[in-house]
Amino acid sequence: QQQVKQSPQSLIVQKGGISIINCAYENTAFDYFPWYQQFPGKGPALLIAIRPDVSEKKEGRFTISFNKSAKQFSLHIMDSQPGDSATYFCAASKWAANQFYFGTGTSLTVIP
Amino acid sequence: DVKVTQSSRYLVKRTGEKVFLECVQDMDHENMFWYRQDPGLGLRLIYFSYDVKMKEKGDIPEGYSVSREKKERFSLILESASTNQTSMYLCASSPQGISYEQYFGPGTRLTVT
């Protein structure tokens, strides 16, 4: 059973556009929501993360929006660049717990 | 820089063979993890270890075992490889108590024929 549901599976965006990836979870005990970015041939790397005490977190062109009541969170990439082309995974866990539950991943392609 | 290395980038094995995947981290992290990554399924946790000689099952431990004899090294063992274990295997590590960031190795692409 998938603990975290992620959509879309793939996304194509024009350079300069906004990329939006959505995730939903069921377990209300989750209180840490990271996003990982994976380039071809590399392992995933932490991109940005949020805890549910805030509804939004921004780091440069990357923003996480969090809706606790809907149990949904999303990643927005503003002014998308070809270098952003990668696979993005959302995840959820209990804070300081060892086990993350990852989404199924979104393959993002940014067209020049 | 945290570095997690995996012994092989690509591996081809035959059905029934015993397979060892090795992972080494150089940041003195307590926690280490083994995931497999499959298209459309994301990353699924096989096993993790929070200390030397300690291990916990993840979501899909069947057909796998692990060994952690030293803090920096975590091995994944396929006792008798099967074709449905063809996958990308990712190792990760994190410090104890601050396990929100997991540092991943580059992965091992295992093909079982």
Side-chain angles (χ1 to χ4, degrees), chain A residues 16-53:
Chain A
I18 301 173
S19 304
I20 301 174
I21 305 170
N22 300 300
C23 286
Y25 64 98
E26 286 298 323
N27 190 340
T28 55
F30 290 151
D31 59 1
Y32 178 69
F33 303 91
W35 285 88
Y36 278 75
Q37 180 187 53
Q38 183 181 29
F39 292 106
K42 305 281 189 182
L46 180 65
L47 180 64
I48 186 172
I50 196 168
R51 297 198 67 191
D53 50 344

Side-chain angles (χ1 to χ4, degrees), chain B residues 34-54:
Chain B
W34 275 107
Y35 294 89
R36 64 176 281 177
Q37 181 178 4
D38 299 288
L41 297 177
L43 278 69
R44 293 180 292 166
L45 182 65
I46 304 171
Y47 269 97
F48 69 92
S49 169
Y50 52 88
D51 202 351
V52 175
K53 296 190 185 294
M54 306 301 289

Side-chain angles (χ1 to χ4, degrees), chain A residues 2 9 32 34 36 38 41-46 49 87 89 93-105, chain B residues 9 31 33 35 37 40-43 45 48 50 57-59 90 96-107:
Chain A
Q2 195 74 31
Q9 188 172 356
Y32 178 69
Y36 278 75
Q38 183 181 29
K42 305 281 189 182
L46 180 65
T87 300
F89 293 95
S93 77
K94 299 176 192 177
W95 176 248
N98 288 318
Q99 186 159 3
F100 283 11
Y101 297 91
F102 283 89
T104 51
Chain B
R9 294 301 301 272
N31 301 324
F33 308 83
Y35 294 89
Q37 181 178 4
L41 297 177
L43 278 69
L45 182 65
F48 69 92
Y50 52 88
K57 293 180 180 179
D59 295 322
L90 290 164
Q96 187 71 10
I98 319 176
S99 62
Y100 64 97
E101 181 165 5
Q102 295 188 7
Y103 297 84
F104 284 84

Side-chain angles (χ1 to χ4, degrees), chain B residues 17-113:
Chain B
E17 277 193 87
K18 190 169 186 176
V19 182
F20 292 87
L21 302 183
E22 302 263 307
C23 175
V24 177
Q25 51 95 3
D26 66 357
M27 282 303 291
D28 202 36
H29 286 169
E30 288 80 7
N31 301 324
M32 295 189 75
F33 308 83
W34 275 107
Y35 294 89
R36 64 176 281 177
Q37 181 178 4
D38 299 288
L41 297 177
L43 278 69
R44 293 180 292 166
L45 182 65
I46 304 171
Y47 269 97
F48 69 92
S49 169
Y50 52 88
D51 202 351
V52 175
K53 296 190 185 294
M54 306 301 289
K55 61 185 180 184
E56 295 269 352
K57 293 180 180 179
D59 295 322
I60 51 165
E62 297 79 18
Y64 303 95
S65 62
V66 290
S67 173
R68 194 168 181 200
E69 297 297 320
K70 294 185 177 182
K71 190 175 185 179
E72 68 271 17
R73 190 178 297 269
F74 192 35
S75 302
L76 180 69
I77 304 154
L78 288 66
E79 294 290 341
S80 178
S82 63
T83 54
N84 64 12
Q85 292 179 310
T86 292
S87 186
M88 171 68 81
Y89 289 88
L90 290 164
C91 176
S93 72
S94 71
Q96 187 71 10
I98 319 176
S99 62
Y100 64 97
E101 181 165 5
Q102 295 188 7
Y103 297 84
F104 284 84
T108 295
R109 171 73 65 184
L110 173 67
T111 302
V112 183
T113 61

